[in-house]
Amino acid sequence: MTRMTLSAKGTASPDTVWQGYAGVDQWPSWSPQIKAVHSAGHRLSPGLSGTVESVAGSRAAFVVEAVDHDRRTWTWRVRLGRIQIRLHHEVRPQGRGSATSLTMHGPRLVLLAYAPPARLALHRLVQP
């Protein structure tokens, strides 16, 4: 297993960035690799589960493990077939805007393949 951290800084406020994460229906608006999110709930909460549909048509199952709305952090596990990755997200104030980071744990080749679209998504998330 490999660990990789990505980050982005932008002018969107920390609250705006957090709302982009917290409203799972909003994920496709800033994450170009996500076509749709299918889940019973619409807000991040521990135990929330569902599937993320990619623009390529694959569906990955997910379970949210932890959410701290006050600290603007959350962790989830995503599984596509036999491949599983764990992702931890954080949002922090940064100057007049915000910074977000994503720490991923999983198979090295999977993380290397996922890093470019994830990096693009993070940059889109922190822009107003």
Side-chain angles (χ1 to χ4, degrees), residues 16-91:
T16 297
V17 175
W18 180 249
Q19 291 310 312
Y21 278 134
V24 299
D25 296 335
Q26 294 181 39
W27 295 355
S29 70
W30 54 266
S31 185
Q33 69 270 26
I34 296 177
K35 179 179 177 181
V37 178
H38 308 281
S39 65
H42 301 284
R43 301 281 299 163
L44 281 181
S45 62
L48 178 68
S49 64
T51 58
V52 175
E53 183 178 352
S54 77
V55 293
S58 62
R59 288 183 181 232
F62 73 86
V63 175
V64 176
E65 295 181 342
V67 179
D68 186 329
H69 290 281
D70 294 332
R71 298 181 78 194
R72 299 186 191 101
T73 64
W74 68 288
T75 304
W76 61 324
R77 288 193 186 269
V78 179
R79 179 182 295 277
L80 178 60
R82 297 169 74 178
I83 299 169
Q84 179 173 283
I85 60 174
R86 183 173 186 258
L87 304 104
H88 176 76
H89 299 267
E90 297 185 19
V91 179

